[in-house]
Every structure is written in structure tokens, then in C-alpha cells.
Amino acid sequence: MKTKVLFLFCSLMLLGRFSKAQNVFVKAGTNDTIRVSAINIDGQMMPWIVLNEVKVIDRRNFATKEAYDKYRRLRYNVIKVLPYARFAGQRYRQLERDLATTSDKRKQKAFVKSCDKEIKDLFNREVKNLSISQGEILIKLIDRETGNSSYDLVKDLKGNVSAFVMQSVARIFGHDLKNKYDVDEERDIENIIRSTGYYSYQ
């Protein structure tokens, strides 16, 4: 009995000490402040904190399963060709920077040839295996990335004859290198691209 009373007494003492220790621990000191930025609004200082971007995306409802499947195919195709369009855009901008560094026609020709080889290597390695639908999307996205249609890019880099030949070949496969990207007309594609967190260099 005495042991139980002693144990209970000791427990209460420890609990009391623990409570006091907790109170001391959470007690704010004179220098315990959180530094934040502030702005003066009508003579009153208002603190403000920069938060991470919050994206609010509405859940899209589809009228039919066929419409949903069509959207899923479009999303798959856009995500598949987007890296190629980005590469084309980056390479074209690099070429423009390179051409601006010199007025030497021979060096400029070498820059164009190097760019042409890189794009051809990409085409021979990967792009040639794209479906017709993916090719159409790629043509539009290249315009989105560069601000120029694929036809204009070929004409600038290789001349009118090469552009005409490339356009003729593209027509055989159901493509049009003169296709332009219209944000309003391509709302689904634009939303898919933005949902990936990528916007544009334009």
C-alpha cells in the first residue's frame, strides 16, 4: 500500500515538473519573432508572404465515352510530339543567335548546315515514326514555338525550291507545312500543354 502511494506521489511530482517545463518551453521570448515582408497601406503596415503558385483546374466532363477517348488520344499525341517541337524551337533560336554573331556568308552557311543536320538526324531517328495525326500536331506546335510555320522555316533555311519540294512531299502524307497555330482554334491542345506546366518561349 505504501509503495502504491509513493508511486502515485512521484508520478504527480514528475507530471507537475513536466507541465512547468512545457510552459517554459512554449513561452515566447522578446526576440522570438517571425520576420516577414510588409507593405504600407494607408499608413498601416501589413505583412505579406509570397506563396507558391496554386493552379485551379476545373474537372472536365465529356458528353460521351467517344469524346473522352478522342481527348485522351489527343493528349497522348500532344505530349508525344511536344519535346520535338521544343527542340525545333530551341534549335531555331540558337541558329538565329549564331547567324547574328557574324556577317561572314561562309560561317552562316556552316551554321545553317549544322542546324539542318541536327534536325534531319532527329527526323531519321524518331520523327519519321510519328502517325499522321501526330505529324499534324507537330507542324502546329513548331509554329507555336518559333512563330513561323514549318514551310517558312524550310524556306528561310533551304530556299524556295526546298520548301516547295518539302510541302509537296508533306501533302502526299496528308500534311500541310503552312499550317499555323491558332490558340482559339486549338484550345484543347493549348490546355493540354499548359496542364503539363509548359507554356512557350513566345
Side-chain angles (χ1 to χ4, degrees):
M1 185 68 179
K2 290 182 179 180
T3 306
K4 289 183 179 180
V5 173
L6 182 61
F7 176 79
L8 182 60
F9 179 78
C10 291
S11 299
L12 290 172
M13 290 291 291
L14 288 173
L15 185 61
R17 286 177 177 271
F18 179 76
S19 298
K20 289 181 180 178
Q22 288 290 344
N23 290 336
V24 171
F25 178 77
V26 298
K27 185 178 179 182
T30 55
N31 296 321
D32 291 344
T33 57
I34 299 174
R35 295 181 179 274
V36 296
S37 299
I39 186 170
N40 191 326
I41 300 177
D42 298 328
Q44 185 173 356
M45 297 302 292
M46 301 292 292
W48 60 272
I49 300 173
V50 178
L51 301 177
N52 293 329
E53 180 183 0
V54 176
K55 294 182 180 179
V56 179
I57 302 174
D58 192 13
R59 183 179 179 86
R60 182 171 177 176
N61 295 319
F62 295 89
T64 63
K65 185 179 184 304
E66 288 73 20
Y68 174 64
D69 291 339
K70 182 180 179 181
Y71 180 81
R72 286 184 63 194
R73 284 194 299 273
L74 177 64
R75 179 177 174 79
Y76 172 82
N77 290 336
V78 169
I79 292 175
K80 183 174 179 65
V81 304
L82 182 59
Y84 305 134
R86 292 181 66 181
F87 173 82
Q90 290 166 0
R91 193 61 189 87
Y92 182 70
R93 285 185 291 276
Q94 180 62 50
L95 176 62
E96 287 183 322
R97 289 192 293 269
D98 292 340
L99 293 176
T101 61
T102 180
S103 58
D104 188 322
K105 297 295 182 182
R106 183 175 294 180
K107 287 184 178 180
Q108 289 181 342
K109 189 174 181 180
F111 288 141
V112 171
K113 187 175 181 181
S114 174
C115 178
D116 184 52
K117 182 180 183 306
E118 284 188 38
I119 292 176
K120 277 184 178 178
D121 288 345
L122 178 68
F123 179 86
N124 291 329
R125 189 173 65 251
E126 299 180 44
V127 177
K128 67 178 181 179
N129 295 320
L130 297 179
S131 67
I132 291 176
S133 297
Q134 291 166 350
E136 290 175 352
I137 294 170
L138 178 59
I139 289 170
K140 293 176 182 178
L141 294 190
I142 287 175
D143 177 62
R144 182 183 187 273
E145 282 292 301
T146 64
N148 295 294
S149 69
S150 298
Y151 180 86
D152 291 334
L153 292 178
V154 174
K155 186 173 72 173
D156 290 345
L157 298 177
K158 304 291 286 181
N160 288 324
V161 175
S162 295
F164 176 78
V165 172
M166 293 289 285
Q167 172 72 338
S168 300
V169 173
R171 286 288 195 181
I172 295 172
F173 295 97
H175 299 308
D176 183 1
L177 298 182
K178 294 181 180 181
N179 271 349
K180 301 290 288 182
Y181 186 83
D182 188 308
V183 175
D184 294 326
E185 290 182 7
E186 308 296 346
R187 284 177 294 181
D188 283 344
I189 293 178
E190 189 68 17
N191 288 335
I192 290 167
I193 293 173
R194 290 176 179 271
S195 72
T196 66
Y198 177 70
Y199 290 83
S200 177
Y201 286 96
Q202 290 298 307

